[in-house]
Amino acid sequence: MLFPREKLLELEATRLAPYAQKARDTRGRQHPEPESPYRTPYQKDRDRILHTTAFRRLEYKTQVFPNWAGDYYRTRLTHTLEVAQVSRSIARALGLNEDLTEAIALSHDLGHPPFGHTGERILNALMQDHGGFEHNAQALRLLTHLEERYPGFKGLNLTYEVLEGIATHEAAYAPGFKPDYPGQGTLEAQVVDLSDAIAYAAHDLDDGLRSGLLRPEELAEVPLLRALAQEEGLELSRLTELGRRVLIRQLLGYLIAEATEATHRRVEGRRVRSAEEVRRHPERLAALSPEAERAHRELQAFLRERLYQHPEVLRERRKAEMVLEGLFATYVGHPEILPKEVQGRIPEEGLERAVCDYLAGMTDRFALEAYRRLFP
């Protein structure tokens, strides 16, 4: 039995929750083009994102620890895959469109520059007089302008809903995106945003423990971790490698379950019955329960104090500042040493924006090598 696109769209319409975004109701693409005979529009978008240069570069972009720190720490790519897994778990339980959810999740960090959030902060400061820099807006710029893979248009020509999902990540709407009307975005997009916070809290904790920058006995200061350890019979002062894995798994399971159940209660309690009602709702519907949200905030505060401000992590941040500031100043002062394709974008984009795009696309190791060549 074959399942062509028409059949897949029909199955979606009957199987998904009323508040899910159905692919048959897409607002479409900026440039009309034939759809795939055996994929829905959101499946096609997901596949296009997977094949971008920007997606492959995530493997060598920092999450917390740089790629060269070890083979087992999260990179921006593995973090993205974990966000996609968490998002799909919640989306399936809520009857949402998993293909749309996955497409948004896989693209949500494409605009991140090298060196994680430190790189984003530095580029924003360097670009203050030239429009600033924000990773969601940069992801939109990549997918609508910088990635050139088709002869008829720039970008990937993704559906409105995928672009909307990127634009509403961590914000009402990212600069550069003009929504049909103000709103909160689809529930699929909201779930990705929530899943991002869940995934990085759990996995940054895991990497912090693996690295030795966090000591297991410190975890007792976080009420949620202390409670989960007690439930599993784990002694935090003598946490084994297996115990660490059990603890992280239980933490993820708890947060995913709380997010799923709390979001369902909010949707049902507010009698939301369509994707349009989700968008127009005055507040976001995807959320943790108040108890889980409080516990999540306590965990995030612990990570900020003990991991993100650790001297070893701050040392890498200072290295990132030196590299990006040095490269930006040199390329702006001497654009003739830029690659020809970057020089070719200067008349249209402006010198600073062309340089910023070039730096934002770099991986950590490429940026370091470029800096070494300029400043041996």
Side-chain angles (χ1 to χ4, degrees), residues 26 41-42 45-46 49 99-101 103-105 107 140 143 158-168 177 189:
T26 177
Y42 301 148
D45 284 357
R46 175 203 59 203
I49 290 162
D99 296 324
L100 174 59
T101 303
I104 296 170
S107 57
L140 287 172
L143 295 173
L158 302 179
T159 57
Y160 173 90
E161 292 75 27
V162 172
L163 296 176
E164 177 190 39
I166 301 167
T168 54
F177 183 81

Side-chain angles (χ1 to χ4, degrees), residues 206-280:
D206 191 25
D207 282 352
L209 288 168
R210 185 191 294 272
S211 70
L213 299 189
L214 293 178
R215 300 190 309 275
E217 59 269 22
E218 293 180 284
L219 306 189
E221 300 173 24
V222 183
L224 174 58
L225 299 181
R226 190 169 62 244
L228 291 174
Q230 290 173 351
E231 286 179 13
E232 295 299 316
L234 300 173
E235 190 173 343
L236 291 176
S237 60
R238 292 186 294 182
L239 193 65
T240 64
E241 183 174 353
L242 179 59
R244 186 193 78 239
R245 292 172 177 171
V246 170
L247 181 63
I248 298 301
R249 183 171 65 247
Q250 293 304 108
L251 173 61
L252 266 177
Y254 167 78
L255 292 174
I256 290 172
E258 288 290 320
T260 303
E261 294 166 9
T263 300
H264 179 258
R265 287 194 296 268
R266 289 164 69 90
V267 170
E268 292 297 314
R270 290 157 177 77
R271 301 182 183 278
V272 174
R273 290 292 178 266
S274 71
E276 293 305 311
E277 289 182 23
V278 172
R279 282 189 177 92
R280 297 178 186 277

Side-chain angles (χ1 to χ4, degrees), residues 11-115:
L11 288 172
E12 267 193 9
T14 57
R15 180 177 56 84
L16 297 184
Y19 45 76
Q21 174 65 51
K22 282 77 170 178
R24 70 177 185 182
D25 298 328
T26 177
R27 285 173 167 77
R29 308 177 188 279
Q30 181 180 0
H31 306 282
E33 59 174 296
E35 289 296 337
S36 170
Y38 298 107
R39 293 177 296 169
T40 69
Y42 301 148
Q43 289 176 314
K44 185 175 181 177
D45 284 357
R46 175 203 59 203
D47 297 344
R48 287 186 169 186
I49 290 162
L50 280 171
H51 290 285
T52 59
T53 302
F55 186 80
R56 292 193 295 276
R57 286 173 177 163
L58 294 177
E59 180 178 4
Y60 294 102
K61 291 193 176 187
T62 295
Q63 176 63 18
V64 174
F65 296 93
N67 179 269
W68 58 84
D71 293 339
Y72 297 105
Y73 299 120
R74 271 76 179 185
T75 65
R76 191 63 61 175
L77 176 61
T78 57
H79 163 72
T80 294
L81 296 176
E82 288 167 346
V83 171
Q85 178 267 312
V86 173
S87 299
R88 290 196 66 155
S89 297
I90 297 173
R92 180 171 295 184
L94 292 172
L96 299 177
N97 194 314
E98 289 182 57
D99 296 324
L100 174 59
T101 303
E102 186 177 26
I104 296 170
L106 292 175
S107 57
H108 83 281
D109 267 356
L110 289 180
H112 259 294
F115 311 118

Side-chain angles (χ1 to χ4, degrees), residues 65 204 208 213-214 302-303 305-310 313:
F65 296 93
D204 289 359
L213 299 189
L214 293 178
F302 172 80
L303 290 171
E305 179 184 348
R306 302 299 176 86
L307 180 61
Y308 306 145
Q309 296 299 319
H310 193 282
V313 175

